[in-house]
Amino acid sequence: MEDEGTRGVRGTSADRVPGPAVPPPPSGPPRQPWPGQPAPGRPPAGEPGGSRPAPGEPPATPGAPWGGQPSAWTSPPPPPGPPPARPASPPPPVEQPSAGAPALDAWLRTPRPPQAPGVWRFGFTPRPAEQGEEVSDRSLLVGAVITLLSALLLWSLWRNGYLPYRLVPLKLFTPGEWWNPGTSGGPRTIEGSDALTVYEALLFGLLAYGCGRIGNFSELFRRHVVSRGQPFLALAAAVAAGLTQLLVWKETLPVVRPVLVLVAAVAGGEIYQSQTVVNVIYALIAAAVLYPFALLGRWRDLLAARKGAVTPAPADTASASSTVTSADQWPELRAAGWTDAADALTAEVRTGRMNDVDVARLRHAWTQATRSPDRLAPLAEAVLRTGGAAALHPSGDRDLPRRTARHDVLTGQVRIGRCADDPHNPYARRSTGIALDPTLLGTSLLAVGPPGSGKSARLVRPVVEALGLRALAGQAAVLAVGGAGAPVGPDEAFDVVVRVGNPASAHDLDLYGGTTDPDEAAAVLAEGLVGDVGSLDSRRAATVLAQLLGPYRTAHGHFPSVPELRELLDGTPAALTALRAALETAGHQAMLRELEARTRQAGGPGDPAPALADRVALLDRPAFAGFFATGPDARPFALRSLGQYPLRVRVDLPERGHAEASRLLTRLLLAQFTAITAARTDTTLFVGLVLDDATHAVTAETVRGIRRLRSVNAGAVLTLRTVDDVPEALHTPLLGAVGCTAAFSGITTWDGKRFAEAWGKEWVETREVAQHTVFADQPFTRALHALRKLVTGKAVTTDAVTVRQVERERWSASELAYAVPAGHAVIRLTTVEGEHAPPLLVELGG
């Protein structure tokens, strides 16, 4: 019976993830073809008749996206022979834009300006400049009413002649014969009356302008009328315009007569003999009065909006608005001369047969192809043949089954929340979106918070989704590690799912990381087994393991399984004798010396072998029987393949029944990840590790490995319930090794103190107010002070304000422990280039 190379104990349940296909041995050096070239002899995925590769299955031909190299997913390779037959899967469905989301062409044209670290760039709009402290609505309204009443009183006194010398300025600039004698004498002639009319109109205009400025009517109008938007704004302006017209034509407001006097002075009084001219002047006055209210009410914009809603824009106008240089027109392909391919992709975008992942994948494939000009033609041909389904991910997936966060695949950002409107946050960052991307994750991220604070659902899950989308675009690989049932995504969102201790798991876990070097395997395995034991030297433990792994691999061609490794570490005579006999038969003298050295050192003081055997015994349990097996029949997943292929891998650990074993495996996976990524030569693929619970997984060596991740285009996301889950000696090194840190609500003051020290201090301006009692010397003043104290019950005091610059913690330990609301976190971000943002209070999911 065909079991796809897995042992019969695994079972063949329907929901299992199929194992990777076994490629035939290459007949020559593998060539590196264009990323989207289909396999010869079969239609491309997505076309009728094409078969969809199984999740996690690398292509088995040289024309596949990864070059058809021998699979590094499993270790060691299976024996030669024809691969098992697989049922054909239906072609991947064409993804349609989700309901309520912008169309793909509009999404492509949306600006994404460069911003500070962590700012959600999609459609970013800068916040208006900070204004001073606003006056309350009550004070604003009272000030406007008082100013209006004062202006009315002043105008009434002027009109009734109660203000002395009111005509003196006018008489200084007009002939004396126009006026009666005396400073209060009125006009004597018609010319004087006309001059007084114009003079009163000018004074009324100045009074109205001063009243508006002093009463702050513009702010009152903006706050209570403009803020309500249309059509209220237009209606309020129309009402005001009607009232003003009534007052103007009732001559309550001096407008009509001054205009008529000025026209007569310029054109002569004979002009009014024509009724048509009079009507035109009246019409101009009415239009001049209405014009300011039309501007304030934005009547033109309202009419244009209503007309546009009734009459839709023609299709050719909409298409003409997007030029050939816009993003949805694929300018990079047109610039290279592939106009037909660009037109095909443009049609795919306009008709909705592509999604955002397709766009990111094809752009990345084009960028990779431009580095090798011989790949451009095959890529263009595949685009013409399959459209948006060209250069597919080997799994055939074009999107995740479900997204729980907002993603911008072009920039690689995932939005995790928004900055709270809090004084701790800079004004420019308040209410802006907060997002993570590979430039931030490349410095690694440490999140600390108690259970239920939202680490898994609001941080880990979005990050895993973002890396999974980038993996589908061929730009990243992700390894998500957590307990069984951890909310990191469904099985369909991953290419490989390893369920440790579950017989239905389609994949095992390679304890040696897929390496063939005994020294490298021993170093990583020692770190995973006893790296958390402070009394043991991990280098000496690695030496002990190397003295056993090297001879065993030389004798048997593979590393020992868990039961065999336990017997060798325990020094079982039968196991050592059999290994020694195999080495003597094959004549491996160097390995015999290694084995003899281990035999001599066994049982000595400080020998780490018993501690290693005890830790290996945690994996030598009935629940894990045959799970970590090695040899020709074993099919474990090799972590080393993460650095070569855009894989999506999830590892489920049995935390409930085997907590210590789960911690050991987590520590081992972290050690393997840091060792494998540091040894990569091709760092174009971003590799991310997400540990949903890193309790007791961090060691001194892995902290040093985390520091090296940013230089090899990799990063790790670690979550802890408390910093005390890490040895005390590693608190400071760990916080210094990661570039991004997050303190969730509910942490203790001890954890808050460590974050406060790591985030440093800043200079702030403080104001100190000191009240001093006022002692009066004069009898009258002393009596007034006594009366005030009798009424208010307080002595008369004066305030002394002192302003100075002091250095304070950005967030104190008490604020982190008690001032962070539920559903919030304080996050500090740093990019791989060294640009950083201050700690920000973030509303998660906002």
Side-chain angles (χ1 to χ4, degrees), residues 676-699:
I676 290 171
T677 53
R680 287 194 304 164
T681 57
D682 183 8
T683 59
T684 57
L685 193 71
F686 180 83
V687 184
L689 169 67
V690 181
L691 294 183
D692 188 46
D693 185 7
T695 302
H696 301 298
V698 180
T699 64

Side-chain angles (χ1 to χ4, degrees), residues 30 197 230 233 271 358 417 423 472 488 529 596 608 711 714 734:
T197 300
Q230 298 286 13
L233 175 60
I271 195 174
D358 295 331
L472 292 178
V488 295
L529 292 176
E596 293 300 333
S711 63
L734 177 60

Side-chain angles (χ1 to χ4, degrees), residues 100-136:
L104 187 60
D105 53 352
W107 177 82
L108 279 169
R109 293 194 301 266
T110 302
R112 297 166 175 84
Q115 293 297 325
V119 176
W120 176 250
R121 293 168 51 189
F122 180 77
F124 175 78
T125 302
R127 195 178 185 191
E130 184 176 8
Q131 300 178 353
E133 185 177 356
E134 290 188 351
V135 182
S136 64

